[in-house]
């Protein structure tokens, strides 16, 4: 859970009192009410006055007192990003945070990350945020088809957005990556390179995008006439060492695959290690198409084939969705879906 501890005296640690609305009013020669409205971009305050007040506020380091704001408005000016940090690998966390903060930078809102662990019920941190009134809006990931967190927040009237879609027949904001299209495009690309025995490294079974990925993979296999080599003992949530070991076991079989589709870059590193443990060469004996959110994979092995997924864009879209719902927009208009890039070989 998010915990912030402010020690007595932190606000005046430099020996100066914290600037207040009265400070701003004194420095600008305006009334407190006028200053307050100017900071909120109230249209009844002239543009020049708003600019002057906001410039002085920036110069003296004025920040609204959150406790006071909450008492007056019932708002916290907080967006909470709830993350299972044990499962979020590579650049996911930093990119999502970057995308969210980029959008909220010019708003009164700021971001708090609320982590939870594998041993916790994913509903626990959401319930905490709602029951304590710690945030005005919430962003969640690892979305399930019938997600109890989404249902709970809908029942309690809390604006939120999900990274991924639910399948509950309930309308809410989301941003998702089209994993059905990704898996299908990967299969078609591998088939175009003469690969016809393909294995899939899936997302975790309980998440919605597992279904999208598996269905896209299966439909494309039928389309191109390729066959699946089952790899059901592996998902991207497993450790790198587990994926490496099971890949090596699979690749030592006579009926081994000649192509992989991987749902995450971290898992792909382990798949490549397993392929090489089995004495096989990437690009000659087997091809791998993998999602990635950074340029890492071609630095690791140039033979890898990649599809880009933009987590910064996801963070931005999720932040816009939550702010839109807080602002009164129809949740059904706050849904977005990213299409995958083309499959990219190494281009030097």
């Amino acid at each position: 859970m998010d915990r912030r501890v402010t020690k007595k005296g932190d606000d005046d640690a430099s020996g100066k009192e914290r600037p207040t609305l009265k400070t701003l009013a004194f420095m600008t020669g305006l009334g407190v009410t006028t200053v307050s409205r100017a900071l909120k971009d109230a249209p009844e305050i002239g543009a020049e006055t708003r600019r002057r007040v906001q410039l002085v506020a920036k110069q003296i380091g004025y920040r609204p007192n959150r406790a006071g704001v909450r008492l007056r408005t019932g708002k916290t000016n907080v967006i909470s990003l709830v993350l299972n940090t044990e499962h979020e690998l590579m650049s996911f966390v930093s990119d999502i945070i970057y995308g969210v903060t980029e959008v909220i930078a010019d708003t009164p809102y700021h971001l708090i990350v609320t982590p939870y662990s594998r041993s916790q019920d994913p509903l626990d941190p959401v319930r905490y945020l709602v029951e304590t009134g710690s945030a005005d809006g919430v962003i969640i990931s690892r979305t399930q088809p019938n997600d109890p967190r989404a249902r709970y927040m809908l029942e309690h009237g809390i604006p939120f957005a999900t990274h991924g879609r639910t399948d509950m027949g309930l309308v809410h904001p989301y941003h998702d990556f089209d994993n059905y299209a990704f898996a299908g495009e990967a299969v078609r690309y591998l088939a175009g390179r003469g690969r016809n025995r393909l294995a899939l490294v899936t997302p975790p079974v309980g998440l919605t995008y597992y279904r999208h990925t598996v269905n896209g993979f299966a439909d494309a296999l039928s389309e191109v006439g390729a066959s699946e080599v089952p790899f059901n003992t592996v998902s991207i949530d497993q450790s790198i060492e587990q994926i490496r070991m099971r890949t090596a076991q699979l690749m030592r079989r006579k009926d081994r695959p000649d192509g992989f589709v991987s749902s995450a870059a971290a898992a792909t590193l382990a798949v490549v290690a397993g392929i090489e443990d089995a004495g096989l060469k990437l690009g000659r004996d087997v091809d791998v198409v993998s999602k990635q959110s950074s340029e890492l994979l071609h630095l690791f092995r140039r033979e890898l084939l990649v599809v880009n997924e933009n987590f910064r864009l996801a963070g931005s879209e999720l932040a816009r969705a939550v702010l839109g719902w807080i602002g009164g927009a129809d949740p059904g208009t706050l849904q977005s879906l990213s299409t995958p890039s083309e499959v990219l070989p190494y281009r030097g």
Side-chain angles (χ1 to χ4, degrees):
M1 301 299 180
D2 176 70
R3 296 286 190 275
R4 290 191 172 189
V5 179
T6 302
K7 296 181 181 178
K8 186 176 181 180
D10 278 357
D11 285 342
D12 58 357
S14 64
K16 297 180 181 180
E17 291 186 6
R18 175 176 177 168
T20 66
L21 285 175
K22 289 183 179 180
T23 311
L24 273 175
F26 174 77
M27 295 184 72
T28 58
L30 300 169
V32 172
T33 301
T34 301
V35 167
S36 176
R37 290 176 179 170
L39 289 171
K40 297 174 184 174
D41 275 326
E44 66 269 20
I45 306 298
E48 182 57 37
T49 300
R50 280 181 275 155
R51 280 194 294 270
R52 180 159 62 95
V53 170
Q54 291 168 9
L55 176 62
V56 173
K58 185 175 182 180
Q59 288 174 336
I60 68 172
Y62 170 78
R63 293 288 185 274
N65 183 288
R66 285 177 56 204
V69 170
R70 185 169 181 178
L71 283 172
R72 291 192 306 273
T73 68
K75 291 186 175 182
T76 63
N77 285 347
V78 169
I79 302 296
S80 179
L81 174 61
V82 181
L83 291 175
N84 182 327
T85 52
E86 291 182 57
H87 289 307
E88 311 298 6
L89 301 175
M90 309 297 279
S91 64
F92 175 85
V93 173
S94 61
D95 282 351
I96 286 280
I97 290 174
Y98 183 96
V100 173
T101 54
E102 195 172 42
V103 169
I104 67 174
D106 295 324
T107 76
Y109 287 90
H110 67 279
L111 177 68
I112 288 179
V113 176
T114 304
Y116 67 99
S117 66
R118 183 184 316 213
S119 61
Q120 283 182 276
D121 181 342
L123 183 57
D124 285 348
V126 172
R127 186 183 288 116
Y128 169 83
L129 291 169
V130 173
E131 290 180 353
T132 60
S134 300
D136 296 333
V138 178
I139 297 170
I140 61 173
S141 64
R142 297 181 64 83
T143 306
Q144 304 168 36
N146 186 11
D147 200 303
R149 300 169 299 171
R151 189 178 299 278
Y152 177 83
M153 286 187 282
L154 282 168
E155 290 172 350
H156 286 78
I158 304 299
F160 70 94
T162 60
H163 186 217
R165 287 165 280 178
T166 61
D167 190 20
M168 304 185 294
L170 300 174
V171 177
H172 62 82
Y174 66 76
H175 176 77
D176 202 1
F177 180 78
D178 193 340
N179 287 283
Y180 180 92
F182 155 70
E185 184 59 29
V187 168
R188 286 186 284 272
Y189 192 91
L190 289 169
R193 292 171 68 94
R195 307 302 189 182
N196 57 20
R197 293 182 52 78
L198 308 183
L200 175 63
V201 184
T202 71
V205 173
L207 305 187
T208 311
Y209 83 109
Y210 168 84
R211 295 184 185 180
H212 298 157
T213 305
V214 169
N215 290 342
F217 183 77
D219 289 350
L221 286 178
S222 298
E223 176 188 325
V224 301
S227 60
E228 179 179 6
V229 177
F231 201 27
N232 301 328
T233 58
V234 167
S235 85
I236 63 172
D237 261 5
Q238 290 173 307
S239 71
I240 286 178
E241 195 50 49
Q242 286 176 315
I243 298 172
R244 176 179 183 171
M245 177 186 68
R246 288 169 183 170
T247 300
Q249 291 170 347
L250 178 67
M251 297 307 290
R252 291 187 179 106
R253 288 169 28 184
K254 290 184 178 180
D255 58 347
R256 63 177 180 253
D258 56 12
F260 281 89
V261 176
S262 176
S263 298
T268 299
L269 304 182
V271 167
V272 172
I275 289 169
E276 294 175 351
D277 287 346
L280 301 173
K281 181 171 176 56
L282 186 66
R284 182 193 67 194
D285 303 307
V286 59
D287 282 317
V288 178
V289 176
S290 175
K291 284 200 293 184
Q292 69 168 8
S293 59
S294 66
E295 301 300 318
L296 174 66
L297 288 181
H298 279 156
L299 295 176
F300 174 62
R301 292 290 185 276
R302 294 182 178 183
E303 296 85 358
L304 285 167
L305 308 163
V306 301
V307 172
N308 291 318
E309 180 175 6
N310 190 336
F311 287 137
R312 288 191 180 185
L313 173 65
S316 297
E317 290 296 320
L318 290 165
R320 290 190 186 98
V322 171
L323 292 177
W325 198 356
I326 291 171
D330 180 348
T333 67
L334 303 172
Q335 301 171 337
S336 56
L337 183 67
S338 291
T339 56
S341 71
E342 63 180 338
V343 178
L344 302 172
Y346 178 75
R347 290 174 178 166

